[in-house]
Amino acid sequence: MKYFRKLIGDKCYLSPVSLDDVEKYTEWINDMETGQFVLFASGVYDIDKERLTLEYLMKNSIIFAIVDKDTNKVIGNCGIHNKSEVHRTGTFGIFIGDKSYWSQGYGAEATMLILDYAFNLLNLNSINLDVVAFNARGIKCYEKCGFKYMGKRRDGIFMAGSYHDVLIYDILASEFESPYIKKLFVKTTEANSDANKITFE
C-alpha cells in the first residue's frame, strides 16, 4: 500500500486515507477494547458499512491516516469534523486502531500535526473535542497537546451497564505552537531566497 507524507513528525506522518485499508479499519472498530473509547462498541460494522463511513468522512471532513514513519504501516486515523468557515471552528477526532502502538506517543504526535494543519493552513481559530471520562490515556494526550478543559455533559454516554460523563476540551490558535509547518516554511523560503530575489521598481 502506498501512503503519501503530507505532514511529517518524528514517529509518524499523516497521509490521505485510502479505501484499500477498509478491512483493517473494520477489524479495528469491531474490537471491543478499542471501540469502548471511541463509542463504536455498540455498533455493528461490516466492510461495506465501514467503506460507506470512510467515503462519507473523506467527502465531508478532513481526515488523515496515521502512518508509522519507519515501517509505513497505517495505525489509525485522525480528522477535523464540522468545520465552519464562518466561525473558523472544527471538532477533532482520533483513534489509534493498532493497539501495539498505544501509549508510545503516536497519538500525541498525530494530534499536533493535524492541529498544525488546522491552525496554520486552514486558518481555523478554535478546535474542540469530546472525550469520555474513563479514557485516561486520551485525556492525558489531549492535555499534553494543549487542549483546555471546558466542561462536561453529565451522564453523556452509556457503556458497560453505567452512564459516564463526556468531557469537553478546546484549544485556540493563539495557544498552539507549530511543530512542523512554520519550520518547513522558514526552511524552504530561506533556502530559495537568493534564487528568488525580485527587484521592484
Side-chain angles (χ1 to χ4, degrees), residues 181-193:
I181 291 172
K182 287 190 176 180
K183 293 175 184 176
L184 178 66
F185 178 78
V186 170
K187 178 182 177 181
T188 54
T189 53
E190 287 183 349
N192 289 300
S193 60

Side-chain angles (χ1 to χ4, degrees), residues 56-73:
Y56 176 84
L57 290 172
M58 293 165 74
K59 182 177 179 181
N60 295 283
S61 297
I62 298 156
I63 184 170
F64 291 101
I66 304 169
V67 185
D68 181 288
K69 189 175 177 182
D70 292 333
T71 64
N72 291 312
K73 177 183 178 182

Side-chain angles (χ1 to χ4, degrees), residues 12 18 43 52-53 60 72 91 97 123 142 148 151 166 170 186 191 195 199:
C12 65
S18 171
L52 290 173
T53 300
N60 295 283
N72 291 312
T91 299
N123 195 30
Y142 303 141
K148 304 291 193 298
V166 176
D170 75 347
V186 170
T199 302

Side-chain angles (χ1 to χ4, degrees), residues 9-180:
D10 295 325
K11 294 174 173 283
C12 65
Y13 62 90
L14 303 187
S15 172
V17 167
S18 171
L19 290 175
D20 290 342
D21 288 321
V22 65
E23 186 170 345
K24 193 168 298 183
Y25 283 114
T26 306
E27 177 184 345
W28 289 337
I29 65 173
N30 280 292
D31 184 314
M32 289 290 288
E33 189 176 0
T34 302
Q36 65 185 337
F37 295 111
V38 285
L39 309 185
F40 292 146
S42 62
V44 180
Y45 284 80
D46 60 15
I47 288 178
D48 290 337
K49 186 174 180 180
E50 177 59 15
R51 182 180 290 107
L52 290 173
T53 300
L54 285 176
E55 288 174 345
Y56 176 84
L57 290 172
M58 293 165 74
K59 182 177 179 181
N60 295 283
S61 297
I62 298 156
I63 184 170
F64 291 101
I66 304 169
V67 185
D68 181 288
K69 189 175 177 182
D70 292 333
T71 64
N72 291 312
K73 177 183 178 182
V74 65
I75 63 172
N77 69 34
C78 57
I80 301 294
H81 313 284
N82 306 317
K83 183 169 70 74
S84 169
E85 302 288 351
V86 175
H87 306 297
R88 295 171 55 211
T89 59
T91 299
F92 173 67
I94 184 173
F95 83 99
I96 304 296
D98 189 326
K99 291 181 288 188
S100 66
Y101 286 86
W102 285 6
S103 301
Q104 297 184 48
Y106 287 89
E109 185 170 84
T111 299
M112 293 295 286
L113 288 173
I114 198 166
L115 289 178
D116 203 1
Y117 182 81
F119 289 136
N120 290 302
L121 289 179
L122 300 183
N123 195 30
L124 297 186
N125 182 58
S126 175
I127 304 294
N128 64 78
L129 64 83
D130 289 353
V131 57
V132 289
F134 55 80
N135 188 356
R137 182 175 55 251
I139 292 168
K140 182 178 179 181
C141 169
Y142 303 141
E143 291 182 346
K144 177 182 177 181
C145 292
F147 281 92
K148 304 291 193 298
Y149 174 73
M150 294 174 61
K152 64 184 177 182
R153 289 192 292 277
R154 296 177 298 162
D155 287 353
I157 66 110
F158 183 78
M159 178 65 66
S162 301
Y163 286 95
H164 304 271
D165 294 340
V166 176
L167 310 184
I168 307 167
Y169 281 76
D170 75 347
I171 184 172
L172 301 177
S174 60
E175 300 168 334
F176 182 78
E177 184 175 346
S178 170
Y180 177 69

